[in-house]
């Protein structure tokens, strides 16, 4: 009777032993070195105003990366905010902004000099923006989107 109980015990432990061995094999598979690409720089917020007399961007000097422009049209004319690089290529633009209205534009800017233009508003001089080297990674910053 004692031998029968020992045989039953072996049969009960056999599947558990197989599962443990399989789990150990699976855990041992895979790469031991995981590539970790640096996170992009955190987006920065800038403000821009169209008028009176000039397009103003603040800050007007910052590092390359994703930039969110909050643009207010303070002129009396409907206008579009257009950001152009030194070659004249449009880097970002808004639709028409009604007088006394606000809009937001999100774009990724590369290093270089840009001109902020108010298209449609009369007598508004362009403003300038200097974009420096890419901002540092936000890899170890907590609570970022």
């Amino acid at each position: 009777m004692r031998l029968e109980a020992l045989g039953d015990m072996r049969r009960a432990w056999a599947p558990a032993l197989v599962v443990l061995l399989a789990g150990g094999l699976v855990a041992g598979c895979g790469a031991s070195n995981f590539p970790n690409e640096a996170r992009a720089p955190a987006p920065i917020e800038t403000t821009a105003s169209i008028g009176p007399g000039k397009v103003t961007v603040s800050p007007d000097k910052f590092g390359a990366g994703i930039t969110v422009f909050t643009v207010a049209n303070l002129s009396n004319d409907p206008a579009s905010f257009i950001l152009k690089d030194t070659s004249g290529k449009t880097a970002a633009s808004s639709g028409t902004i009604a007088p006394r209205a606000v809009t937001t534009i999100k774009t990724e800017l590369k290093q270089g000099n840009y001109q902020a233009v108010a298209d449609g508003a009369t007598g508004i001089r362009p403003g300038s923006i200097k974009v420096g080297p890419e901002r540092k990674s936000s890899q170890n910053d907590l609570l970022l989107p």
Side-chain angles (χ1 to χ4, degrees):
M1 191 180 229
R2 191 171 182 181
L3 290 175
E4 290 173 13
L6 187 59
D8 289 340
M9 192 182 290
R10 284 186 192 164
R11 277 184 288 234
W13 282 94
L17 184 61
V18 170
V19 169
L20 283 173
L21 288 173
L25 289 173
V26 170
C29 295
S32 61
N33 186 9
F34 298 100
N36 192 7
E37 298 293 327
R39 181 187 263 183
I44 62 167
E45 300 280 334
T46 59
T47 58
S49 63
I50 299 173
K54 182 179 180 181
V55 175
T56 306
V57 179
S58 179
D60 60 357
K61 295 177 184 155
F62 47 84
I66 296 174
T67 306
V68 179
F69 290 91
T70 301
V71 184
N73 183 359
L74 305 179
S75 73
N76 293 323
D77 301 318
S80 297
F81 177 81
I82 301 174
L83 201 55
K84 297 182 178 188
D85 63 15
T86 53
S87 68
K89 181 180 172 190
T90 300
S93 65
S94 70
T96 302
I97 307 168
R100 310 292 180 222
V102 177
T103 193
T104 303
I105 305 167
K106 183 177 183 178
T107 188
E108 184 169 355
L109 296 177
K110 306 286 184 207
Q111 184 174 357
N113 294 316
Y114 294 84
Q115 192 172 42
V117 178
D119 187 37
T122 55
I124 307 287
R125 297 184 320 275
S128 61
I129 301 171
K130 181 176 174 102
V131 178
E134 187 172 70
R135 299 183 305 273
K136 73 176 193 132
S137 167
S138 60
Q139 182 70 19
N140 294 323
D141 293 343
L142 296 177
L143 302 176
L144 290 177

